[in-house]
Structure formats: structure tokens, C-alpha cells
Amino acid sequence: MKKFKIPVTVLMIMALTFGLGGLSFLAIYKTRAVLMNNLEVHTTSLTHSLSSKVSLWLKAHESKMEIMANIPLMKSGDKDLILSYLNEEIQRNQGYEELFYADSEGKYLQNTGLQGSIIDRDYFNKVRDTGDSIISDPLYSKGNGRHIIVVAAPIKNGSKVVGLIGGCINLSELTELISAKDGEVSKAFIVQKDGLMITHPNEDFIMTYNGRMYNRSSLDYKDTIDKMIQGENGITRNTFEDGDKYLAYAPILGVNWSLGVTVPASYVLNQLYYLPVYFVVVTVCLGLVLAFLMRRWLVRPLTKLARFTSELNDNIYGLENNYLVDSPVIEVESLATNFRRMAVELQDNFRKLANSEISLKEEIHNKMTVQKDLESSYEELEAVEEELRYNYEKLQSKEIMLRESERRLRSMLENVKLITGIVDMNGKIIFCNDFILGLTGYEKDEVVGHDFFDVFIPHEFRRKAKEWLKGVLVSKDIVVHNIYPIRTKAGNNRFVHWNHTLLFDADGNVSGIASIGEDITERKQFQEKLEHISFHDAITDLYNRTYFEEKMRFLQGNDSNSPVGIIVCDVDGLKLVNDTLGHSTGDKLLWLTGTIIKKCFREEDLIFRIGGDEFAVILPRSDITVVEKACYRIRKGVEKYNLENKEFPLSLSMGFAVSGTSNVNLDEVFKEADDGMYREKLHRSKSTRSAIVQAMMKALEARDFITEGHADRLQDLVIMLGEAITLSDRTLSDLRLLAQFHDIGKVGIPDRILFKAGRLTEDEFKEMQRHSEIGHRIAQSAPDLLPISDFILRHHEWWNGKGYPLGLKEEEIPLECRILAIADAYDAMTSNRPYRKGMSQEQALNELTKNQGIQFDPILVPIFNRMIRSGASLRQVRYIN
């Protein structure tokens, strides 16, 4: 009996263990297969998503460079304006580390002001040779030595490439871009066409590790790198130093790069390692419990029944009716009862059993055949069910990915700072983002479902835009870039740079158009302003030298516009005005001259400021009579101004010339007119300077910047002191002139300083000191004042050397200046001023005595004091040197 119990118990435990264990391993195998397949699908999808993201990112930077390259400022080649523009753009586009401009010779200018040559750069030669935008492979920056990607766009003048504009993107920006998708499992990297890693999670591999040269026993990894370089898509499983990994790869559009994403194969196994453990523990525990219960409730009763069966087999006809089995299992008790009944009827059944044994075997054989067929059908159904379940799960996974992709796309379109919308084939708006609503002032219900052209396109562009839509739908060929405005709710037009793409339904038919646009209104206005600045003079708003030369080239040899007349005008005395009254007054004089000349011609006539003080007028199809009349109008305009404005005369020197009717050579015409102008200027220069100086003298008298009668009193004082020391008549004449005009330079000092009631600040005092230098330049320009020009420069020098502007001292100061200093100080102290009352005669003389040897000549001061106190002419007093 004991031998019977142990095998039955062990058999049951083993059956339970192997049965449950087999089911567990089957579940693990199926789960592992599903997870592996999902991992491949997810990795491939992630790779393509990252590849598209990098491609769009690079394309966006390329588009920005092309927009910047097309502004007229870049074609002008003005490096100061370009440098200013680059600094503005680098602030606006934080994604660029540096911006630079390069001419056709490869000389570049960075936004930092750094200059150099990029003639040896591969991207420069490609842009210059092909005229296309280029995204370079990673290279070392000449500016900071870091790894960068250069996005370069050509600057074209017509079809000719005259330079390029480029932006430097730090390679770390690209690394961060693809790292945003990295998790704890997947890792992304990018290789260029020679197999070199340009981004990698391990920074030590960047620009140093080449997958094609990596030494390993298997060639699978090298083959994968070769496929990536050749621009193929796919997924492989390779063995790395840190284990088996799936490697999915896809090319990046627009560049010769390929992106790869690796995921450890152990990622799936790590999720399944705990299942066998759980199944084994549960199986063992359940087996032990079942074994205990079955041993108590089944094994023991069945053992007794086995003993009864043995006894029955030995003595089938001697059965005892006292065989009892005690078991809590009702079925076992019923089995024992039936066993006793069976024993009674067993003998009868033995005979029947022998007869039915043959038919029973046949029936069993038939049933076994049917059972095998059923089992085979069941296995087929199970396989079909498993396949359906797998396909259903795969569809669910794709549906989830599709919904997530749609959500990300919608979120991106809603939040991107670009005008984004979708219209159907009839031009009805089916989607627009919040940016265009905020830009135009419309509400969403005023836009969605309405005709795009009626809502947003201005009336004058509407017909052309609708024709464009019809042409696109018919040809299924779309214009990628175009610029046309949209209308806001307030009726204003905003210029937009559009990028369109066609949308297709499941059958491949066009279902609508998706459009993304950038608001370039401010940029276009700035561009128009730059264009105006590039061809107009900032002071007079006339055409500048650049446009003059462009017009000359256009008319050169063009007989259809002959004869061509040229008038050249020069402002006389401009340098004197700039040197004495300042460049602001000179600029005002230039503006005034441009205004007078402009009034003498029609609005459409071409008037230019071609130099500092030179103006020119081009008169196509004009003979000598027309040109002479034009010169006459200019002279009359100047005469009219001088009659109406006597305080400051305007003088123009003019020359003119007219070309022949064939083989027009405008350079010779311009030279002839310029020579005529200079001949007239030589005749007028001296009289012009004298007229300007006379005007300044009158302005000095009119301003009366100190007190009435100051100049007359000062002349009397210096003559009295000069006579007292017996100076010659010529010297006395110079003294009289010096007393009258020593402060003529104050006409160039602003009134806010000249008439200030309080004490001057340090800066104001320095400005006031300039009047002696200004007066010196004025006197040198006027023949009448030339003898006293040096005296005017030195009349504020002090005896102790602390005066200005030269710091002369003692005998180095001219005698005339020392005499004037004493007389000027005495008259200033005894005269009333707006901010103080004048001193008495005695107080003023005491001040002179106090400052003798400091500010004033110590020998002249006592003579002046005696002269003032006596009130008489002191001719008998001799100046002792």
C-alpha cells in the first residue's frame, strides 16, 4: 500500500508541475515574440520620426538663410550696414552661434566684426559654383574652434552669385535635438557619408569615432554602417561590447547623413525574467496543497479500494459485504457502495463483457479517430485565433501611434508661431491655428467653414489667388514658395511668405492644401527702407552717388535718350561753414541747397547729391537750350533766396555740358561739366568767403551777446592804453580791429551756453573755449581780418600760462592780446549783466591789481589803472619792456 501511495502522489505533483510549467513557458515564448516585434516596429517608427524632425529642422534654418540672402542690403556689399543687420538677426535668431557674410572672393565678415577668408571651405565653393543653398558637414569654426554646421545661402545679383550669407550652428544643438527623444532605453546617433559619428550619446565618440573602421570579429555592424551611408532604411540586430542591440536606421533628407537608433534586445527579456519564477513558486505551492488534500481524501480511500480489488480478484465469488471505506469525499463513498454492488453483479457482467469486447474495441478505435480529427481542428482554430489576436493587437498599437502622432501634429500646428491653415478643394477653411487669428483679429467661428479668399485675401489679389488654386488642383503641382498679403479684420494688409503642400485622400486624390506662412510685414518694410537708403542721400533726400553712377551706366551709349545734359553744382564756402559754425549748420545749408535745386525741376527729373558739397542733375533728351534754361532757373532760385534771407548768403558754382546725338559718352560729358564748375568756383571763392564772413559779422552785431556798446567802449580803452605806451599807428589800427572782432567766433557757440545766466558746467566751458579757434578760422578766410587772426586765437591766454587754447605765458603772448585782456576784463566787470550788477570803477581796478602777474601783464596793469583814475590821455608814459 505504501508503494502505491508514493507513486500516485509524486505522479500528481509532477503532472501539476510540468503542466503549469509548460503553460508558463509557452506564455513566455508568445509574449516574448510579441514584445520583440513591437520593439522593432516602435524603434523603426522612432527612427523615421527623428529623421524627419532633423530634416525639417535643417530645412527651416536653410529657409531663414535664403530669406536673409535675398534682401537688397546684402547685394549692396556695404559692410557697415551688413554688420549692423547681422547683429540684429543674431539677436532675433538665437539658434545661430554666429552669422557671417562673404563676398565672391571668400572674404568674410562675422557679426562679431571678425574678418578673414573662407576660400578654402568646401561649402563656399559649392555655393559659388552651383548657386544653391548648402548645409555643410560638421567642421571646425574659424571663430571659436568648436564643431559647427554651416548653413549657407547664395547672394545673387541677377543670375550671378556675388557672395553668400551663412549661419553657424553649434553641433551640440543637433545633439540636443535628437536627444529629446532619447530615453533610458533607446539611444540615437548620426553618421555622415564617410561613416564618422557627428552626434552620439557618448560625447567622446563625436567627430572621432568611425563605424566603418571599428575592429570587431563580425562584419554585420560594418555592413549596417555601409547601408546607412548609402541612404537605405532598415533595422538589424548587432552584437556590441555592452550586449545585443536592435539598430534601426533611416536617411536624413537634404544632407548626406543617416540617423540610427539603438535599443537593447535585453529590454524585452528584462520584462519577462520574473514570469518563470512566479509560475514555479505558484506551481510548487499549489502542488503541495493538492498533494496533501488528495493524499487524505483520495489516495487513502483509493488505496483501500485497491486492496479490496485485489481481494476481489483473488476470490471474486467469496466477496464479503463488510468492506467499508471512510472518506469525506461523497464521490468516494458512493464509489465504495457501488463497488460492493458491482461485485455482486460482476460475475454476470464478465460474460457480457467478453461478448462486447470486440465491438467495444471497434467503437474505441472509431472514437479515437474522431478525437484525433477534433484535436487537429482545434489546433488549427487555435493557430487562427492566435494570428487574429496578434493582428488585432498590432492594429490597436498602430491606432494608438496614429492618434498620438495626430495629437502631436495638431499641438504643433496650434502652438507654432507661424500662420497655419488647411483649405479643402473649394477653398473652404477647415483648420487654422490661433496665431493667424491673433494676427488678423478674427474669431474662429468667423473663419472656419468660410471661403479663405473672401476672408483673408485682399480684393485686388483675390482673382489671381483663386486662379492659382484652380491651377494647382488641375496640375497637382504646387508652387512651394510665394509671397502675397492677407487682410486683417481691421482692413490692414500683412505680407506673408507662404509654403504650401498638397493633401491627398486614401485613393490618392487631392483633398486640399495645407499652408504655412511667415509674417514678413516688418521685414518687408525694413527692406523697402533699406532700398530707399541705399539710393538716397540722408541729408537732402535726393538720389545719392550710387544711383548716379547706376544711371550713368544705364544711359552710357544709349542713343535713344540722346542728347543728354548734365549740370554740376558746388556749394561755395561749405568747408568754412563746417569749420566755424559746425557740421549741423553745414548740413542745414546742404538741405537748403537741395530744396532750392529741387524746386527748379519737375518731380520726375533726376537730381543727385554726388559728393560732400556737389550736386548733379541729369537731363535725358535735352539739348543745350533746355540745359541753359535749367541753369538759369537755379541761379534765379539762389538769388531769390539771398534776397529773402540776408543773414546768411548762399552761393553755388555751376558747370554744364551736353552730349552728342550718337555714341554717347557720359563720362566725358560729366568731366566737361565738372571742369566748368571748378573754373567758376575759382573766380567766386574769394568773394564767397568774404560774403560769408561779412554775414557772420552782421550776425555777431545782431546777437549783441554781451551788452550794448561793448565793442565801442573796448575800442576806446585799447586805443587809450596803446597810445599810452606809444604804439605805432598800424598797431593801433590792428588793436581797434581786434577789439571789434575778437569774439567773432562766438557766432558758432549755441545760445543756451552764450546766454546762460548761471555758472557754466565743465563741458559747457570747454564748448565756450572753442570760440577763439572758430574766430581764428573765420579771420583766416577774410582778407580784412587776416592780420589779426593769430591775435583772435591767443586773446584768452594768461600771464601765468593757465589760459587757453595754447597755454602761452608772459612774453610769449602777443602785446595786442595782453592789452585786450586788461581792457576786456575791465569793461566786463563794470557793465551790468542779466545775472549781476556791474562793479564800481575802483572795485574793478582792485580786481585787475589782484590778478596782475596771474592773468594780466604786471607792467600794463598799473599803467591802465593810472590811466583810468586820471581820466586823461597818458601819452607821456612809456612802455618799458
Side-chain angles (χ1 to χ4, degrees), residues 50 53-54 57-58 61 64 90 93-98 138 146-151 167-181 190 198-200 203 206 257 259:
L50 272 179
K53 179 179 179 182
V54 173
W57 183 75
L58 292 172
H61 283 81
K64 289 181 181 178
I90 199 70
N93 298 280
Q94 299 294 329
Y96 292 104
E97 188 170 69
E98 296 170 350
R146 290 195 286 269
H147 288 108
I148 59 170
I149 302 167
V150 176
V151 182
C168 301
I169 306 172
N170 196 305
L171 197 56
S172 61
E173 295 280 337
L174 183 57
T175 303
E176 292 177 4
L177 180 68
I178 65 172
S179 297
K181 287 287 186 181
I190 297 177
I198 62 176
T199 67
H200 197 278
E203 294 183 358
I206 297 177
W257 304 344
L259 182 138

Side-chain angles (χ1 to χ4, degrees), residues 693-708:
V693 171
Q694 290 299 323
M696 291 180 180
M697 292 178 180
K698 292 179 181 179
L700 178 66
E701 294 173 0
R703 292 174 80 180
D704 192 19
F705 52 85
I706 300 180
T707 58
E708 261 186 61

Side-chain angles (χ1 to χ4, degrees), residues 433-502:
N433 66 350
D434 292 339
F435 183 77
I436 188 174
L437 298 177
L439 182 68
T440 59
Y442 285 104
E443 298 295 334
K444 182 164 287 189
D445 56 359
E446 296 178 297
V447 173
V448 176
H450 296 270
D451 188 276
F452 174 81
F453 303 99
D454 293 340
V455 175
F456 288 120
I457 303 302
H459 181 75
E460 59 270 23
F461 297 96
R462 195 170 298 161
R463 183 180 60 83
K464 185 177 180 180
K466 289 185 177 181
E467 290 176 355
W468 172 84
L469 176 63
K470 292 178 181 178
V472 167
L473 296 178
V474 171
S475 64
K476 296 185 180 179
D477 185 18
I478 198 162
V479 178
V480 178
H481 297 292
N482 52 28
I483 296 176
Y484 59 84
I486 62 172
R487 183 184 60 190
T488 66
K489 189 174 182 180
N492 301 319
N493 287 350
R494 306 290 296 183
F495 286 93
V496 179
H497 183 271
W498 291 100
N499 196 331
H500 309 283
T501 185
L502 289 174

Side-chain angles (χ1 to χ4, degrees), residues 252-429:
I252 298 174
L253 298 179
V255 290
N256 293 324
W257 304 344
S258 183
L259 182 138
V261 176
T262 62
V263 178
S266 60
Y267 174 70
V268 172
L269 299 178
N270 290 340
Q271 300 180 61
L272 299 175
Y273 80 95
Y274 59 87
L275 290 179
V277 177
Y278 287 174
F279 273 111
V280 169
V281 171
V282 172
T283 301
V284 171
C285 294
L286 185 59
L288 292 174
V289 172
L290 290 176
F292 173 78
L293 295 176
M294 293 177 71
R295 179 176 177 276
R296 181 175 180 183
W297 294 342
L298 293 177
V299 175
R300 287 181 181 176
L302 291 176
T303 301
K304 289 183 179 181
L305 286 177
R307 187 176 69 248
F308 296 162
T309 304
S310 299
E311 293 176 356
L312 180 61
N313 186 47
D314 294 340
N315 187 12
I316 192 171
Y317 298 104
L319 178 64
E320 295 292 337
N321 291 328
N322 59 353
Y323 293 154
L324 298 175
V325 176
D326 184 14
S327 173
V329 180
I330 297 175
E331 288 78 2
V332 175
E333 289 186 353
S334 176
L335 179 62
T337 302
N338 292 333
F339 177 77
R340 287 194 297 271
R341 293 176 183 174
M342 181 189 66
V344 174
E345 298 177 359
L346 190 58
Q347 290 177 334
D348 295 335
N349 291 334
F350 276 156
R351 300 185 188 93
K352 296 177 182 179
L353 186 60
N355 295 329
S356 61
E357 183 176 359
I358 296 173
S359 60
L360 183 59
K361 287 181 180 180
E362 292 178 355
E363 185 179 353
I364 290 174
H365 176 73
N366 293 334
K367 288 184 177 181
M368 289 180 65
T369 302
V370 172
Q371 184 178 1
K372 288 181 181 179
D373 293 339
L374 289 174
E375 288 177 353
S376 177
S377 299
Y378 177 74
E379 290 175 356
E380 292 178 359
L381 289 173
E382 188 176 33
V384 171
E385 180 186 6
E386 186 66 28
E387 184 177 358
L388 290 174
R389 183 182 298 109
Y390 169 74
N391 290 334
Y392 175 72
E393 291 175 352
K394 187 175 180 180
L395 287 174
Q396 277 192 321
S397 176
K398 287 185 177 180
E399 183 180 357
I400 293 172
M401 292 173 62
L402 183 62
R403 284 200 299 267
E404 178 62 21
S405 176
E406 182 182 356
R407 184 192 64 79
R408 289 197 299 267
L409 178 61
R410 179 171 290 274
S411 176
M412 181 181 69
L413 293 177
E414 287 288 353
N415 297 300
V416 69
K417 298 301 181 183
L418 293 172
I419 297 170
T420 307
I422 300 175
V423 299
D424 61 16
M425 295 182 63
N426 298 317
K428 299 294 184 181
I429 302 171

